[in-house]
Amino acid sequence: MRDVETRPRKYEWAIILAVFFASLPLILGFSLLILSSFSTDMVTNLDLKSLHFTIENWINVFQGRLAITGGIRTNILRITLNTFIVALGVAGIVTLVSTMAGYSLSRIDFRGRKHLMVLLLLLHAFPGVALIVGVYLLYRLTFPQSPEMVRFYSFFYVVLARGALEIPMSVWLMKGFFDTVPWEFEWSGIIDGASRIKVWWKIMLPLVKPGILAVALFAFLAGWQDIIYVRTFLIDQTLATFIEANIEAEYSHMPLIAAAGTLYLVPTIIFFITAQQLLLQGYSGGIKG
């Protein structure tokens, strides 16, 4: 019996070429962005004569200079730190909630379990922009009176709101990973006198590490690249809002913005290169219902 592993190798090249040509616009776009970050002028086509190599754009970015003339500066390290705070906060809250909820849905047959699982799928179907009016209403209703708390609250709220968008699908992914763990492992711990929480912490979580890492990675990237919720609720800037705010500014030097854009892409590229197998496990292992 033939399966996907025994298909003729000649078709593999056809598939690779099809994927390559479909990805070509993205590859060219990101390549031009990276080349422009090392040029005095924007590189807008494949004619490399327009590339005049310089690292001044990167020096200006790390010094916080927004223009090659004048004294307009910003604290780019602070903006990068803000981006990490949001991304790590989203990853933390999504991982915590999804590992606990995924375990409950996988192992405990409580009343309303199936309805809750359907509800999670429905919640995931709603795009974030469609929910932003209601989320903004909650933001205003819970806005702190103390001025000292406003900055902290904006970080807390954007992490909570952005994490809530990622939790439904993450719970489904984690449920799929917990479903792959045989019951015998869990029963052996319970028979030895361990509580359900201890079994979850000591036995189950180590067995679903790939799923936890995949969920954390997806959530981190969602928080890192978010712009709608960050722009709406966060007082401070992140790299996404910083680039968006300066693209159309009169004083902006576009190759410098290209350097900031490349800096913004670096964590995403690193994560996808180093975690390809993990992402595949997240998609394949976590979709078992």
Side-chain angles (χ1 to χ4, degrees):
M1 184 176 67
R2 299 177 61 186
D3 54 23
V4 291
E5 297 297 332
T6 61
R7 67 181 183 275
R9 292 183 63 85
K10 61 181 181 181
Y11 293 125
E12 291 184 358
W13 285 105
I15 294 172
I16 292 173
L17 286 176
V19 172
F20 174 75
F21 282 112
S23 307
L24 196 56
L26 288 175
I27 296 172
L28 287 176
F30 286 126
S31 299
L32 293 177
L33 176 71
I34 296 171
L35 288 174
S36 298
S37 71
F38 291 100
S39 174
T40 55
D41 301 303
M42 288 296 288
V43 181
T44 56
N45 51 53
L46 297 178
D47 184 8
L48 296 182
K49 292 181 180 178
S50 59
L51 173 64
H52 304 288
F53 183 79
T54 179
I55 60 171
E56 186 179 3
N57 298 321
W58 284 93
I59 295 174
N60 287 335
V61 164
F62 285 112
Q63 289 179 343
R65 295 182 62 184
L66 298 183
I68 56 176
T69 59
I72 305 173
R73 288 177 179 272
T74 188
N75 190 343
I76 194 70
L77 294 180
R78 176 65 190 178
I79 291 173
T80 306
L81 178 63
N82 293 339
T83 314
F84 270 107
I85 291 174
V86 172
L88 291 174
V90 172
I93 194 167
V94 169
T95 305
L96 177 64
V97 173
S98 60
T99 50
M100 298 180 73
Y103 174 76
S104 301
L105 290 172
S106 173
R107 293 307 211 234
I108 303 173
D109 188 17
F110 54 88
R111 179 178 295 182
R113 173 175 171 271
K114 290 185 178 179
H115 293 94
L116 180 59
M117 292 168 63
V118 173
L119 179 62
L120 287 174
L121 281 182
L122 289 176
L123 288 174
H124 181 70
F126 283 97
V129 69
L131 303 172
I132 202 164
V133 174
V135 178
Y136 184 78
L137 178 62
L138 287 175
Y139 177 76
R140 295 302 303 174
L141 291 175
T142 57
F143 201 76
Q145 299 296 321
S146 172
E148 293 81 12
M149 292 294 294
V150 171
R151 175 163 277 108
F152 170 78
Y153 177 76
S154 69
F155 272 104
F156 173 76
Y157 195 84
V158 77
V159 167
L160 202 64
R162 194 63 185 83
L165 293 177
E166 300 301 315
I167 284 174
M169 181 51 68
S170 298
V171 170
W172 266 94
L173 287 174
M174 287 310 306
K175 177 187 176 300
F177 277 100
F178 282 117
D179 287 344
T180 62
V181 179
W183 275 94
E184 287 76 11
F185 291 98
E186 190 170 358
W187 286 125
S188 62
I190 294 175
I191 291 172
D192 289 340
S195 65
R196 208 63 185 264
I197 295 294
K198 195 169 184 178
V199 168
W200 171 76
W201 178 258
K202 294 285 188 180
I203 298 177
M204 299 299 286
L205 290 188
L207 294 175
V208 295
K209 274 183 181 177
I212 296 173
L213 293 175
V215 165
L217 178 58
F218 289 138
F220 179 88
L221 293 178
W224 181 268
Q225 67 189 12
D226 181 77
I227 187 169
I228 297 176
Y229 276 56
V230 166
R231 198 174 191 278
T232 305
F233 302 114
L234 193 64
I235 294 175
D236 296 281
Q237 283 187 319
T238 63
L239 284 173
T241 54
F242 166 75
I243 294 170
E244 187 261 347
N246 286 282
I247 283 179
E248 297 180 351
E250 293 182 359
Y251 53 78
S252 293
H253 182 54
M254 292 310 295
L256 194 152
I257 300 300
T262 305
L263 175 66
Y264 179 58
L265 287 175
V266 168
T268 305
I269 295 173
I270 292 175
F271 275 127
F272 273 103
I273 291 176
T274 58
Q276 292 181 49
Q277 293 301 322
L278 188 63
L279 294 175
L280 289 175
Q281 289 181 36
Y283 278 119
S284 60
I287 58 176
K288 293 182 178 180

